[in-house]
Structures are given as C-alpha cells and as structure tokens.
Amino acid sequence: RLRRVTESHAAATQSWPEVRRELIDTLLHLRVLSLDVVETIESWRHAGGRQGAVWPDPQTGENYLLKMKDDTRWLAESPLGEILRFSSKSDPFFVVPSTSDHPQTPTNQMTPKLKAQRRSLRSVGGVEQR
C-alpha cells in the first residue's frame, strides 16, 4: 500500500491533499499492524517458554523483529518525504513523521513583540548577551 501511495504521488495521479490523507491513513494502519506483530511474537514467546526466541522471516530467515526496523527506512528518501518528514534512522512505528506544511512564519501576533522584548532584556549597555 505504501508503494502504491508513493507511485500515486510520483505520477501526480492524485492531488497532494489526497495523497497526504492516504499516506497518513496507511502509516497509522501500518503502525497498528506492526504493534500487533510485536505483541503476537511476544505472546508466542511467553506461551511456549521461548524467551528471546527468534521469529524468522519466512522469506529470508532473518529475525523478523530486527528486519522490521529497516523495512520502512526507504521512506526518508522517497517522494513521500515531500509530504512528511521521515527519520532516516530506524522508526518502524512512525514516531518521527510530521507534516511539512507547518507555517514558516510565526502565527502568534505576539511573537515578534516578545522576541524584541527578550532582546532588549538580554542587552546590557547596547551589547547583546547570549
């Protein structure tokens, strides 16, 4: 599903808001599924007295939990990185992504005034202290 969203965005077959909405829905769904996988493996370990046992990936044979860490690392460099900021580090539960449509300028009208007041309070004898 993530690949399909990536292709839709790259090919511009959907509007930016539609792709963004689909991406967020997909990531939330993937997060829930990833948590389910971890909980299921933990239950399997506890039920069979297999503390620390490895659940092998059926295709590669490697530890599935460790494999999950890298499964979505590609998102940081994908076209979807234009919509959400992804960590280039391991983030299988999508803790880091945030939208890139945050305002670049302060929306609080008091902010410039407060900044000026702070600068004047920091300056002593015309020299700004840090």
Side-chain angles (χ1 to χ4, degrees):
R1 189 171 168 191
L2 269 176
R3 298 279 183 199
R4 184 176 40 124
V5 174
T6 303
E7 291 166 6
S8 293
H9 178 58
T13 57
Q14 290 181 299
S15 70
W16 190 89
E18 290 173 323
V19 173
R20 182 174 176 260
R21 185 173 36 253
E22 178 72 16
L23 174 60
I24 291 169
D25 288 346
T26 301
L27 294 177
L28 291 173
H29 184 72
L30 186 55
R31 177 188 286 165
V32 169
L33 292 174
S34 296
L35 288 169
D36 285 347
V37 166
V38 171
E39 290 172 356
T40 300
I41 291 173
E42 280 301 302
S43 294
W44 168 77
R45 285 176 171 173
H46 290 310
R50 299 179 272 267
Q51 299 300 329
V54 171
W55 182 280
D57 180 310
Q59 294 176 347
T60 64
E62 66 182 297
N63 183 331
Y64 193 79
L65 292 177
L66 294 178
K67 183 180 177 302
M68 282 178 60
K69 289 174 48 179
D70 295 323
D71 279 349
T72 56
R73 197 176 293 217
W74 61 273
L75 287 167
E77 300 299 322
S78 78
L80 298 177
E82 298 169 0
I83 298 172
L84 296 177
R85 286 184 289 272
F86 293 97
S87 174
S88 59
K89 299 177 182 176
S90 175
D91 189 16
F93 302 108
F94 304 107
V95 175
V96 172
S98 60
T99 60
S100 57
D101 61 353
H102 292 293
Q104 297 299 317
T105 57
T107 57
N108 180 344
Q109 294 302 314
M110 293 296 292
T111 302
K113 183 177 178 179
L114 291 173
K115 283 184 179 180
Q117 286 176 345
R118 186 181 309 167
R119 278 194 299 271
S120 68
L121 289 174
R122 286 183 178 172
S123 65
V124 176
V127 177
E128 188 172 319
Q129 293 183 348
R130 296 181 190 253

